[in-house]
C-alpha cells in the first residue's frame, strides 16, 4: 500500500548513544516532516524538508539532525540521545505546503534510559 | 504565538452524536484540519475545511468553522465504538507550518 514507512517501530537507547530514524514515502510528495508527540502536548515539528535538497528547522530542532537523501527518503538522527528525547516520532509527507493535509507514518516509539 | 486548544476528553454513548471543539489563534490560517489517531498508529487525515467556508459535510462528519470566534468543531453523527480514538485539530499557518492541538480522546460507551 502507498504511504509513509518508518523504521524502526520501537527502540531503546542508553543516554549518549546515537541512532538514525528512517522514513520513506512512495507518493512522489515534495515535502517531508519530522514531528515528535509527547503526552498532552500534541505534535511538535522538529525539522522539515520543503523539497529535495532543502531542510529547515522547526519548533524543537535542538539535539537532532536530518538528511533528505532523495525525494523519497528523509532521515532523523540523534547524535547523543538524552532522556528528554524519549517520545514517539512521526514522519509525514505532503505534495507541497501541507495544503490538503499530511500523510503520516505509523511512528517510532523511542525510549532513552 | 500560534496556538491550537482542545479539550482533552469526551465520552459519549454509542449512537449519540459527538462534538469535538477546537479554538485557534492565527486568523490568517488558510486550511484547518481534523486528524484521527487510533492506538499505536499514526495520524490519519479525516477532513479539512478551507477558511472561506462555514461548513463542510462528509458522510457522518460535519465540520463547522466560525472565523470570527476562531472556533472549529467536528460533529460525528451516530457515533460507533470504532470511532474511539484521539482527534487532533490543526491549522495551516502557511510556510510549511501546521500547528496541532494536543488532541481530544473520544470514549464511546456501548
Amino acid at each position: 500500500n502507498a504511504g509513509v514507512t518508518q523504521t524502526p517501530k520501537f527502540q531503546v537507547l542508553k543516554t549518549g548513544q546515537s541512532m538514525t530514524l528512517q522514513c520513506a514515502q512512495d507518493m512522489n510528495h515534495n515535502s517531508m516532516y519530522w514531528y515528535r508527540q509527547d503526552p498532552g502536548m500534541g505534535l511538535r515539528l522538529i525539522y522539515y524538508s520543503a523539497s529535495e535538497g532543502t531542510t529547515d528547522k522547526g519548533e524543537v530542532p535542538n539535539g537532532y539532525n536530518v538528511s533528505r537523501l532523495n525525494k523519497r527518503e528523509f532521515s532523523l538522527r540523534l547524535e547523543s540521545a538524552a532522556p528528554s528525547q524519549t517520545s514517539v516520532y512521526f514522519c509525514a509527507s505532503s505534495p507541497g505546503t501541507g495544503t490538503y493535509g499530511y500523510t503520516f507514518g505509523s511512528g517510532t516509539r523511542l525510549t532513552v534510559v | 504565538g500560534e496556538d491550537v486548544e482542545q479539550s482533552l476528553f469526551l465520552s459519549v454513548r454509542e449512537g449519540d452524536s459527538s462534538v469535538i471543539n477546537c479554538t485557534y489563534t492565527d486568523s490568517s490560517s488558510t486550511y484547518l484540519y481534523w486528524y484521527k489517531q487510533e492506538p499505536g498508529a499514526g495520524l490519519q487525515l479525516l477532513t479539512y475545511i478551507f477558511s472561506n467556508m462555514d461548513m463542510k459535510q462528509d458522510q457522518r462528519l460535519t465540520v463547522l468553522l466560525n472565523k470570527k470566534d476562531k472556533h472549529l468543531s467536528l460533529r460525528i453523527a451516530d457515533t460507533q465504538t470504532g470511532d474511539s480514538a484521539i482527534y487532533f485539530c490543526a491549522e495551516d499557518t502557511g510556510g510549511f507550518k501546521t500547528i496541532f492541538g494536543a488532541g481530544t480522546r473520544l470514549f464511546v460507551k456501548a
Side-chain angles (χ1 to χ4, degrees), chain A residues 10-111:
Chain A
F10 301 94
Q11 184 71 48
V12 179
L13 289 179
K14 293 183 178 178
T15 298
Q17 286 185 319
S18 62
M19 79 162 295
T20 300
L21 282 64
Q22 307 287 351
C23 175
Q25 52 91 10
D26 58 5
M27 297 168 287
N28 201 35
H29 285 172
N30 289 312
S31 305
M32 298 185 73
Y33 313 82
W34 276 104
Y35 282 89
R36 60 178 287 173
Q37 183 182 30
D38 300 295
M41 298 188 72
L43 277 75
R44 291 182 291 169
L45 182 64
I46 305 171
Y47 271 93
Y48 68 96
S49 171
S51 60
E52 186 179 356
T54 70
T55 60
D56 284 286
K57 294 179 181 179
E59 181 185 355
V60 288
N62 290 346
Y64 305 95
N65 285 301
V66 290
S67 296
R68 182 75 182 265
L69 304 169
N70 47 55
K71 191 170 186 179
R72 291 187 63 246
E73 298 173 287
F74 188 38
S75 63
L76 178 71
R77 183 161 178 84
L78 286 71
E79 290 291 352
S80 178
S84 60
Q85 295 178 305
T86 293
S87 188
V88 181
Y89 291 86
F90 288 101
C91 178
S93 70
S94 66
T97 61
T99 303
Y100 309 127
Y102 297 163
T103 301
F104 281 85
S106 58
T108 296
R109 186 174 294 274
L110 175 67
T111 302

Side-chain angles (χ1 to χ4, degrees), chain B residues 8-77:
Chain B
L8 293 183
F9 300 99
L10 176 66
S11 181
V12 299
R13 292 193 181 279
E14 191 174 22
D16 288 350
S17 291
S18 307
V19 179
I20 303 171
N21 295 301
C22 166
T23 57
Y24 60 97
T25 56
D26 192 334
S27 58
S28 65
S29 296
T30 51
Y31 286 87
L32 295 123
Y33 308 93
W34 285 104
Y35 288 85
K36 177 183 181 182
Q37 185 182 32
E38 297 184 358
L43 279 71
Q44 174 192 2
L45 180 66
L46 276 181
T47 187
Y48 64 90
I49 187 167
F50 188 51
S51 59
N52 69 353
M53 298 169 65
D54 298 325
M55 185 182 84
K56 180 177 180 181
Q57 189 148 2
D58 185 359
Q59 299 182 329
R60 292 191 298 124
L61 305 179
T62 302
V63 178
L64 294 178
L65 175 60
N66 181 328
K67 283 198 72 175
K68 175 176 170 290
D69 295 337
K70 300 191 186 71
H71 183 266
L72 183 73
S73 68
L74 174 69
R75 178 178 180 268
I76 306 172

